[in-house]
Amino acid sequence: MYKELFSCNGKTAMVTGGAGLIGRGIVKALHEFGAEVYIADIDKNKADELIKDVAAKFVYLDITSDDSIQKALAEVIKKSGKIDILVNCAYPRTRDWGMKFENIPFSSWKTNLDNHLGGYFLCCQKAAEQMKAKGGGAIINLSSIYGVVAPDFSIYEGTEMTMPAAYSAIKGGIISLTKYIATYYGAYNVRANTISPGGIFDNQPKSFVERYTKKTPLKRMGAPDDIIGVVILLASDASSYITGQNILIDGGWTAW
């Protein structure tokens, strides 16, 4: 009985940014737990590499484009008849991403919020309406610890890295948007939750990794696979009474 709680058999899942660093693991896990999975991404080559290992399907989706989002969702619904699980982990950004706060053009700020937070909004809006009509579903949005707490800029010293201001605004907005969706669609059995990872190792400079590790109780950066257990929890009936929550996966970073 309890083993079946985490099953995604018979469910259709769509993962935006599914060919990316975190998205790949999510796609594999959802497939392994029985879902029919669509990789919704702009990078077909990376998606095709993933499809060699996982019996997933590709649908082109540019999360910065209203038209692209509409077409991708319509394609999935046409082919599978529904979307039961939407996972948003696409990460669009402009070419000037990473500028110091005092140098950020206002046009860049607006574009990044529109592309990222706006793209998540539209995906959620269209998917939630379809889920409402079908009797329920699960929306999972990827946020960040920096949507909850302020950045510690000392860990970036001596590197070319920083934490862009728009990132914090976007990720905080995603958490609030998700709570809104959870209360708005709760009566229709549409659940919406957020996952907020801490730093994920991606070959960052050694000095950054060392500083980050020292500030984390578990003494390491996160890995993409650290995310997938919570995704399966939130996508499955194991979380049938969980909605409007933000789950931190940060090795204890925010516990200090």
Side-chain angles (χ1 to χ4, degrees):
M1 173 183 174
Y2 293 118
K3 288 182 180 179
E4 294 302 315
L5 277 176
F6 294 92
S7 172
C8 295
N9 286 335
K11 296 183 178 182
T12 300
M14 177 174 168
V15 183
T16 72
L21 178 67
I22 294 176
R24 291 194 297 268
I26 292 172
V27 167
K28 290 179 180 179
L30 285 168
H31 168 71
E32 187 171 329
F33 277 79
E36 177 186 30
V37 188
Y38 285 84
I39 303 168
D41 207 292
I42 58 174
D43 195 330
K44 190 175 188 304
N45 289 331
K46 284 187 177 179
D48 285 343
E49 291 176 9
L50 179 56
I51 290 170
K52 291 177 183 177
D53 299 323
V54 181
K57 300 174 182 178
F58 174 78
V59 59
Y60 180 85
L61 185 146
D62 177 357
I63 204 164
T64 72
S65 166
D66 182 337
D67 184 61
S68 179
I69 291 170
Q70 301 269 15
K71 287 181 178 178
L73 285 160
E75 183 178 340
V76 173
I77 293 169
K78 181 180 179 180
K79 290 180 176 179
S80 296
K82 58 178 181 172
I83 298 175
D84 301 293
I85 302 161
L86 171 68
V87 184
N88 277 316
C89 62
Y91 183 22
R93 49 212 182 273
T94 55
R95 291 184 179 181
D96 60 1
W97 188 250
M99 294 184 73
K100 290 184 177 180
F101 182 83
E102 59 270 24
N103 297 327
I104 299 170
F106 187 43
S107 59
S108 174
W109 168 270
K110 291 188 291 184
T111 298
N112 279 297
L113 262 70
D114 187 44
N115 287 349
H116 195 151
L117 181 57
Y120 278 34
F121 157 77
L122 190 56
C123 287
C124 289
Q125 182 190 57
K126 301 306 177 185
E129 280 296 296
Q130 186 276 149
M131 291 173 181
K132 173 183 173 181
K134 292 290 185 179
I139 294 172
I140 304 165
N141 289 323
L142 270 288
S143 181
S144 165
I145 53 170
Y146 286 151
V148 179
V149 296
D152 180 350
F153 290 99
S154 69
I155 64 175
Y156 302 104
E157 291 176 2
T159 75
E160 296 182 358
M161 299 171 61
T162 189
M163 176 44 56
Y167 185 86
S168 292
I170 290 164
K171 293 305 186 180
I174 288 171
I175 293 170
S176 294
L177 171 65
T178 307
K179 289 177 181 291
Y180 180 99
I181 293 167
T183 58
Y184 194 83
Y185 284 97
Y188 305 101
N189 196 35
V190 177
R191 298 182 295 104
N193 293 286
T194 312
I195 294 173
S196 289
I200 302 298
F201 179 72
D202 190 22
N203 297 308
Q204 293 94 336
K206 183 179 178 181
S207 61
F208 170 84
V209 175
E210 290 176 347
R211 290 192 188 106
Y212 191 97
T213 298
K214 287 178 181 178
K215 289 183 61 65
T216 307
L218 290 185
K219 300 305 176 187
R220 67 175 178 88
M221 293 192 71
D225 282 354
D226 290 323
I227 311 298
I228 59 178
V230 177
V231 171
I232 297 302
L233 167 68
L234 296 177
S236 68
D237 291 341
S239 60
S240 61
Y241 202 52
I242 300 175
T243 194
Q245 302 305 305
N246 177 42
I247 300 178
L248 290 148
I249 306 175
D250 64 356
W253 175 279
T254 55
W256 288 118

